[in-house]
């Protein structure tokens, strides 16, 4: 008996999963190693480096934009893999150059959080409810995730003794609430749910974009304590009053100049 067309799509989807997620995991593990490396070489002032950050990110992002828009390059073996690896290296090195020296435990804990959450969201995006439009499933998933995470965030924050730490915890939750639809959307595209076949020819690009997600999340979460402190500081009554007076003063000066 010949295989049904649906069986071929399922096999293709599984093959794409293995390639994209496998290569993305290799990229991410290597990036984690690069992030840890400066912390092991503290006697050398390697990071942060503004010049290196600009160079690596400009080269990586410009190359990524060109690579995405040149179809033949994306699908021409082995150039697609070479370019993707170079872009991944530039993005990872740019991230390393941005950060200060990282403690190994700190890097591993943050990386574990990001990998677990990305895996969860990618898994959710890999399934589609029967007879449910893809975009409706995306927003439904986002809504459920936000509601659940808000409840969990409140439950955690009320048990945190230090108010500043509660802001830091909230920063983690807010990141995942914001990035949830992006990662779920990527999983849907990889699965071929947007009226497309699973992107077997764009495996290097998809893996690179997952690395991009990981690095962006890492940079944000690494500064979660600073972001939380800024929100805490801005939320103080005295600071709010000062801000209101400053805005009123600037507005009065603007009106007087008219």
């Amino acid at each position: 008996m010949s295989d049904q067309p649906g069986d071929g799509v399922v096999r293709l989807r599984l093959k794409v999963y293995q390639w994209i997620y496998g290569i993305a995991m290799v990229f991410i593990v290597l990036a984690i190693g690069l992030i840890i490396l400066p912390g092991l070489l503290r006697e050398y002032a390697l990071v942060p480096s503004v010049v290196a950050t600009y160079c690596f990110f400009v080269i990586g992002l410009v190359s990524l934009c060109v690579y995405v828009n040149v179809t033949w390059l994306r699908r021409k073996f082995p150039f697609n893999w070479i370019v993707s690896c170079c872009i991944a290296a530039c993005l990872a090195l740019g991230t390393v150059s941005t950060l200060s020296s990282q403690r190994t435990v700190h890097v591993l804990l943050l990386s574990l959080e990001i990998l677990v959450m990305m895996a969860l969201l990618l898994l959710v995006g890999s399934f589609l409810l029967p007879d449910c439009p893809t975009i409706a499933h995306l927003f439904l998933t986002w809504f459920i995730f936000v509601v659940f995470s808000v409840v969990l965030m409140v439950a955690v924050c009320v048990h945190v003794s230090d108010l500043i730490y509660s802001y830091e915890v909230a920063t983690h939750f807010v990141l995942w609430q914001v990035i949830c639809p992006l990662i779920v959307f990527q999983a849907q595209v990889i699965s071929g749910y947007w009226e497309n076949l699973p992107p077997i020819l764009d495996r290097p690009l998809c893996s690179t974009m997952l690395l991009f997600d990981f690095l962006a999340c890492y940079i944000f979460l690494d500064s979660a304590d600073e972001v939380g402190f800024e929100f805490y500081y801005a939320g103080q009554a005295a600071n709010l009053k000062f801000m209101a007076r400053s805005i009123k003063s600037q507005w009065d000066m603007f009106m007087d100049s008219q």
Side-chain angles (χ1 to χ4, degrees):
M1 181 181 294
S2 60
D3 293 337
Q4 297 297 321
D7 296 335
V9 174
V10 171
R11 286 200 299 270
L12 177 61
R13 185 174 294 143
L14 292 176
K15 183 178 180 180
V16 168
Y17 288 162
Q18 292 173 351
W19 272 97
I20 293 177
Y21 296 145
I23 297 300
M25 196 64 201
V26 172
F27 284 167
I28 290 172
V29 169
L30 292 176
I32 293 173
L34 288 175
I35 295 173
I36 292 175
L37 186 60
L40 302 178
L41 303 173
R42 292 182 181 273
E43 61 271 18
Y44 303 101
L46 300 176
V47 293
S49 173
V50 176
V51 175
T53 299
Y54 277 111
C55 290
F56 284 126
F57 273 136
V58 168
I59 294 173
L61 293 176
V62 170
S63 300
L64 179 62
C65 292
V66 174
Y67 177 63
V68 167
N69 289 282
V70 180
T71 305
W72 70 266
L73 181 60
R74 286 188 358 228
R75 298 175 179 178
K76 184 69 173 178
F77 180 84
F79 299 108
N80 53 353
W81 287 103
I82 295 173
V83 174
S84 294
C85 290
C86 292
I87 293 173
C90 287
L91 295 177
L93 290 171
T95 302
V96 174
S97 302
T98 303
L99 304 170
S100 57
S101 297
Q102 305 280 297
R103 291 180 292 109
T104 302
V105 175
H106 172 77
V107 175
L108 294 178
L109 288 177
L110 271 188
S111 300
L112 180 62
E113 175 188 348
I114 297 170
L115 288 174
V116 169
M117 292 304 302
M118 285 185 63
L120 174 63
L121 296 176
L122 289 170
L123 180 63
V124 170
S126 299
F127 294 95
L128 189 64
L129 295 175
D131 302 323
C132 179
T134 306
I135 191 169
H137 183 268
L138 173 63
F139 282 105
L140 177 62
T141 301
W142 190 16
F143 174 76
I144 295 173
F145 181 81
V146 168
V147 171
F148 176 77
S149 60
V150 166
V151 173
L152 184 60
M153 178 180 67
V154 173
V156 172
C157 288
V158 296
H159 289 88
V160 176
S161 57
D162 195 327
L163 185 59
I164 296 180
Y165 288 150
S166 66
Y167 277 91
E168 181 179 347
V169 171
T171 302
H172 284 249
F173 280 97
V174 169
L175 168 68
W176 295 117
Q177 292 167 8
V178 171
I179 206 171
C180 169
L182 172 62
I183 297 181
V184 172
F185 171 75
Q186 288 176 316
Q188 290 178 338
V189 172
I190 292 172
S191 301
Y193 293 147
W194 284 86
E195 298 182 357
N196 64 293
L197 288 174
I200 187 69
L201 298 178
D202 282 324
R203 293 168 294 177
L205 175 61
C206 294
S207 298
T208 304
M209 295 310 299
L210 291 176
L211 171 67
F212 190 92
D213 295 340
F214 174 85
L215 295 175
C217 292
Y218 187 93
I219 291 177
F220 184 85
L221 292 181
D222 183 64
S223 60
D225 55 341
E226 299 174 7
V227 174
F229 177 78
E230 292 300 328
F231 277 107
Y232 168 79
Y233 182 80
Q236 298 300 302
N239 296 325
L240 290 175
K241 292 179 180 178
F242 175 76
M243 188 181 302
R245 290 197 304 269
S246 299
I247 294 174
K248 184 178 183 301
S249 175
Q250 293 296 323
W251 176 255
D252 292 340
M253 291 174 60
F254 173 75
M255 295 302 295
D256 292 340
S257 64
Q258 299 301 312

